[in-house]
Amino acid sequence: MSRFLIISNRLPVQINISEDNVEVTPSVGGLATGMSSVTKLFKSRWIGSSGLDKSLLSAQQIKKVNLALKKHACMDVNLTREEVELYYEGFSNKTIWPLFHYFSQFVEYEEEQWQAYKRVNQKFADVIAENMEGVDKIWVHDYHLLLLPKLIKEKFPNVTIGFFLHIPFPSYELFRILPWRTEIIEGMLGADLLGFHTFDYERHFMSSVRRLLGYDINIDEINTPKRIVKVDNFPMGIDYNKFNDAALESQRRSVRDRSEVRKELERYYLLYPETKFILSIDRLDYSKGLINRLEAFEYFLQEYSQYRDKVTLVLLAVPSRIGVDQYQQMKSEVDEVVGRINGEYSTINRSPIWYFYRSMPFENLVDLYNYCEIALITPIRDGMNLVAKEYIASKTDGRGVLILSEMAGAAKEMSEALIVNPNDKAQIADAIKQAIEMPLEEQIERNTVLQNRLKRYNVEKWATDFLNTLDNVRQDEQKYLAKRLTASSKNKILKEFEGSNNRIFFLDYDGTLTGFVDNPQHARPDKELYELLDKLAENPKNRVVLISGRDKGTFDEWFGNKPYTLIVEHGVWYRHIGSSWKMIEPLDDSWKDSIRSALEFYVDRTPGSFIEEKNYSLVWHYRKSDPELGHNRAIELKDEMTSLVANLNLEILEGNKVIEIKNQGINKGQAALKVLHAQPADKILAIGDDWTDEFLFSYLPEEAVTIKVGMAKTVADYKVENYEEVRSLLQKLTDVEV
Ligand code: GDG
C-alpha cells in the first residue's frame, strides 16, 4: 500500500489539555471530512501545526500530546510564538491573504516576515523529510505553504506532489506588486499538479507564470525546463449528507429536545408569523464584506419601508485572526454599524439585526441554515465559500433563497441563486425584496437544481477527483521518466554506434545545439559547438546533417565552409558538402505577397513581433512581444489563416514562439528520408526540440535512435533536458572508436 502525506498549516484536530490529561478529537471541517474519505484508501499521515505553544507545556505533557497525535496519524510541526507571529499572522495573513483577495491597501511588505515564512516552509519540509519512508504522494494545502512544493521536490524528485489553493489567485496586475512574486510562483511549480477552485484563478496563475517565467503553456500544462506541471480547477464541495441529515434530524426532534436557537426562532415566529429571517454567517474578515452587507441591509430598510417590521437579519460573525490589526478594527466597525441600524430601526418589541460575535456548535449552525428563509452571503472576494453550499444542503423541503456575491468562487457553480455585486447596495436591496416575494415553487425549482449538483460533486468527489488526476500525472511522469536518457541508455547507444562504419546524425539547431535567445540573429554557433561538430564530422564513418527551419543565407554564413550536409527551411533546401543549394522538390512562392500583408497586420498590432522571410516560407516571430499578447495573437493568426492557407496549398507550422507559413508536404522528415535514400546509413541518430522535429522522428526508419530535447510530449525514443545534455552526448560520440 502506498503512503500518502497531507500537509496543511493546521492539523485537523482539537487538543484539550488539563493537567495530566490530553484529549485529541478530530475536527469536523470541510477539508478534514473530504480527506477522511481518501485517507481510507491509503495509509496516510497528516502533517501540520497543532497550534499549541509548547513552551507553556511540561516535557511530560508534550510527550502525551505527541503520542495522542500519533494515534490520529498526525505529526506536529512545532512553531514558536515568534514564528506564529511572523509567518502566520504576519506574511500569510498580512501579505498574502489581503493581496490574493485584492485588498492591496492592507498588504504589508516586511522582509522579516518573508524570511520567517521561508523558514517555516523549510521547517515543514524538514518534518516531511523525516516522515518520507514509503511515501509516494503528498498533498499540500493552501497559501501558508506556497514555497513547500519546491522544497519537497528538490529533496525528493520522485515523489508526486499535489497542491491546492483554497483562496483566489489574483490577476497578474495584483500579484506582480509582490517583491517575492517569482520565488512564490517557483515554489508552487515544485508541485506536479496545482489545483484551484475556479478556472479564473487557474487562468490568473497561468498568466503570472507566462509573464514572470516565460514558460510555454499548453492549455492546462506548463512546460518548465525540468518537468511538465499540470494545472486544473477542482471546485471544492461539502459533505452534503452531513448537513441534510442533520437538518432532518433536528426537525424530527420533539420540541423539548430542540436546540435553544431553534426554539428561539420558532417562538419568535409564533409571535410574528410574517417575519422572514435573513441569515448571514462568516468569519469576521474584511474579505467577507460584512460592512457592505450591513449597509445594503440598511438601504433595504430605507427603500422598502413596507418590510421594516417583517425582516430580521441574523448576523453570525465568527471571531477570526484577532491578533491582526485590521480584524480588530473591523470588529469595532461592525459593532458600530449594527448599533446604528438597530438604533434607527428597532421598536420596543423587535430589532432588525440579531448580532452574534461567537462561533456556534454544529447543530445550531444547521438549525440556522434550515430555519432561515433567506441567506445573504456577499463576500467582496472569496475563494469558494462553503457556507453558501451548506445553506442549500440544509434546506430539506427545498424552500429558501440564497443571495450570493458574484465574487465568491461558489457563484460559478450556483447560478440558480440570486447573484449580486457585493458593492451594489441597490442591487442587494432589490435581491432581498425579490427573495421575500419569490413564490415557493420557484424557490424549490432553483434549489432542486442546486441540491442535485451539490450532492453529486460533494467533498468526497472533490478529493478523489484531485487525487485521481494526481495519479494520472504520476503515470505520465513515469512515462516521461521511462524516456529519460539515462547513463545506461547512453552507453547502449554508444555501444551500438561503435560497431558501425556508416553513421548519420540529423541535428536540429535552435534549442537543440544552442539555447534560445531573444533575437534569432544572436544565436550564432559558439567556438565549443564548432569544435564539437567538426570533430564529429572529421570521422569518415560519420555524416553530420544540420536540419533546421532557418534560411539558407544564415546557414551559409555560419556553416558554409563546414563539412556538414545542411537542410534548411524545414526541408525546402539541402546542400551537400562542397556543392550548391538544391531544392528537395520544386516549389512555388507566388503566394507570399498575399500572406505577407496579412502577417504585417499582426506585426502592427503586436509590438516586438516581426516577420522573417525565407525563400519558401514566411515566419512571424513573437518571442520578444508581451508573452500573453503574443500567445493570443498567435491563436488569432492561426484562426484567420486556416482557410487561406488551405486554398493556397500551404500549411501552418507552429514552433517555439513562431508561426511559420509554408508550402504543404515539406517537412524535416521527408527531407531526411531523401538524404538517406541517396546514401543509406546503418546507424541513425536524430535530435530535435520543436514539434517540427516530430516529423523527423516519425519518418525515420524504426531502428533510428531519436531524442527529444525538453519535456513536451514526443514520439522520440528518449528525452534530454537541454542543449547542454545534447552536446555532452555528442562529445561522447566523437570519442567512439574510429
Ligand atoms: C477558506 C476560503 C473556501 C462558520 N461558522 C461556524 C462554522 N463555520 C464553518 C462553516 C464552513 C466554514 O466554517 C467556513 O468556510 P468558508 O468556505 O465559508 O470560508 P473560509 O473559512 O474563509 O475558508 C474559502 C474555503 O477555505 C475552503 O476551500 O471556501 O473561500 O476563504 O464550513 O460551516 N462552523 C461551526 N460554527 C460556526 O459558528 N461549527
Side-chain angles (χ1 to χ4, degrees), residues 569-608:
E569 296 193 21
H570 298 292
V572 174
W573 300 94
Y574 73 100
R575 205 206 73 177
H576 278 309
I577 305 159
S579 65
S580 57
W581 287 101
K582 292 194 182 59
M583 246 183 186
I584 290 201
E585 269 176 32
L587 292 171
D588 163 45
D589 69 351
S590 58
W591 51 268
K592 275 169 125 186
D593 285 346
S594 57
I595 296 289
R596 190 184 301 103
S597 61
L599 290 183
E600 275 162 359
F601 181 60
Y602 280 83
V603 171
D604 293 342
R605 293 190 309 145
T606 319

Side-chain angles (χ1 to χ4, degrees), residues 114-156:
W114 164 244
Q115 291 304 336
Y117 185 81
K118 286 206 288 189
R119 258 196 329 272
V120 173
N121 272 254
Q122 184 59 56
K123 204 169 195 179
F124 269 78
D126 295 342
V127 176
I128 292 166
E130 288 159 18
N131 287 277
M132 278 300 286
E133 205 186 312
V135 171
D136 61 359
K137 223 178 342 191
I138 300 184
W139 187 356
V140 181
H141 289 269
D142 228 357
Y143 66 99
H144 317 90
L145 300 171
L146 296 171
L147 306 177
L148 189 55
K150 183 176 176 208
L151 296 174
I152 308 173
K153 198 57 148 192
E154 277 170 354
K155 198 141 193 202
F156 301 98

